[in-house]
Amino acid sequence: MSIDHETAIVRQWAAIYDAVYESAEDSSGADFSGWRSSITGENYSAAETAEWLRGTAEEILRLEPESVLELGAGTGLVVEAILPHVKRYVGTDISATAVARMNRDYGHRAGTRFRVADADSPDIPGGFDVVILNSVVHHFPGAGYLRRALGRAVRACAPGGAVFLGDVHSLPLRDALRLCVLAATEPGELSAAEVRGRLAAMADRERELVIDPAFFPAFAAEHSLVADIRLKPGAYDTEMNLFRYDVRLRPAGPGLVSPGATARVPWDSRDAERLVDETTAGELPVTVTGIVHPDLDPPVTALTTVRGLADEERVDVTALLARARAAGTAGIRPAALREVAAERGLACHCLPAYSESARYDAVLAPLSRASGLAADVVDEPGRPLVNVPRMQ
């Protein structure tokens, strides 16, 4: 992709968000303008957005920053949550309207600076404990821009610093999400060939950058870092929690567990309490593999069904997905597993799937020995790890 094409896409997103933020110009506090589910088209509830913001802020603060750079800060959702806990906060955004709002609301506080810039700007300052790119990389115009921007973010870190990427859209699960969108927007029977054609057309029209989790361990290794990749911390069955994940690019350290170097125990349908109690009675840390996510299993199962049908067979995707959800799936929600582990004084870090799967792995360890993960590098030459976003 040419630099001119990248620039055109970035400008399009800037125009879109200028318009979104201008329509909410008089709002104060947490501004979730434009935060709608792509499945239903409806705004997320106040409880869902509050959970998302609280979980994001807590994950960033666990990195213990005193100085923060946020690239793509919007109108300051994360700024408001993090600013009271740090001494220095610099934020940038491609929307001039957003930056004006941040300067109005937070610019009077000591140690703050907000300006218009994109994530690939050559004059990004440095010396930060944490660089944040939260719910923003899906607006990047392509793999080349992603690599350059992440490289700049890494270089903006002080020694020992980390880059936090929130809400990264999962490439392996994108078709399962598209099936949910199709079920919500096109009820009624179609042929299996028509369903598959619509999914392919949605992929071809994709405007957002969608990334395989396997991209990040390889990128981190190129920069002498490790990738700490985890499922979102939230409990609601929202698009954000089911089809996105968080990444921390950070230096290797004794508190980071490599799942491939631990004892591994396949999940065998035990519930959360038994699983934690029985698997942590022996060697720790331990990685429990192949745990079914009960909220993610219905769309993944429905997608598998659609792909297995003959072209002429008729299928009502809405009904198919509804039946899969009504049938229920034995599994453990990641938030529930983390809660049980915390009650036992243990850390529980859940990894996103590197394939089109409703299963996830979970690392269990004493809190003192597992501040995070060092994801294993996946060596699969030729595997596409990033899509190619389209112009609007």
Side-chain angles (χ1 to χ4, degrees), residues 257-258 261-265 275-288 341 344-348 362-370:
V257 178
S258 175
T262 70
R264 299 175 73 80
V265 177
L275 181 66
V276 172
D277 291 340
E278 294 174 8
T279 57
T280 59
E283 179 183 358
L284 291 177
V286 62
T287 301
V288 183
R344 272 69 166 172
L346 298 169
C348 174
V363 174
L364 297 164
L367 287 170
S368 60
R369 292 171 55 192

Side-chain angles (χ1 to χ4, degrees), residues 184-207:
T185 57
E186 291 198 45
E189 283 195 351
L190 298 167
S191 71
E194 287 174 323
V195 173
R196 291 192 287 264
R198 279 166 169 72
L199 293 176
M202 292 166 76
D204 189 58
R205 295 192 304 267
E206 182 68 70
R207 298 188 304 172

Side-chain angles (χ1 to χ4, degrees), residues 302-350:
L303 180 62
T304 301
T305 298
V306 166
R307 287 184 172 152
L309 296 174
D311 285 353
E312 68 278 6
E313 289 190 68
R314 307 295 292 179
V315 58
D316 183 329
V317 174
T318 307
L320 178 66
L321 190 54
R323 286 195 300 271
R325 287 173 172 151
T329 303
I332 304 174
R333 291 178 175 87
L337 187 60
R338 285 190 291 263
E339 182 178 357
V340 171
E343 291 170 355
R344 272 69 166 172
L346 298 169
C348 174
H349 302 311
C350 301

Side-chain angles (χ1 to χ4, degrees), residues 101-169:
R101 288 266 297 277
M102 284 192 289
N103 275 315
R104 180 195 71 188
D105 294 340
Y106 311 110
H108 62 283
R109 301 194 192 185
T112 61
R113 182 188 175 203
F114 305 103
R115 66 186 182 89
V116 178
D118 69 88
D120 190 29
S121 174
D123 59 347
I124 289 174
F128 296 92
D129 298 324
V130 174
V131 177
I132 303 169
L133 296 100
N134 186 62
S135 203
V136 68
V137 296
H138 56 284
H139 294 323
F140 287 1
Y145 185 101
L146 174 68
R147 284 186 165 277
R148 294 195 308 274
L150 292 184
R152 294 187 190 280
V154 168
R155 291 189 292 275
C157 289
V163 177
F164 178 88
L165 297 98
D167 280 0
V168 182
H169 293 218

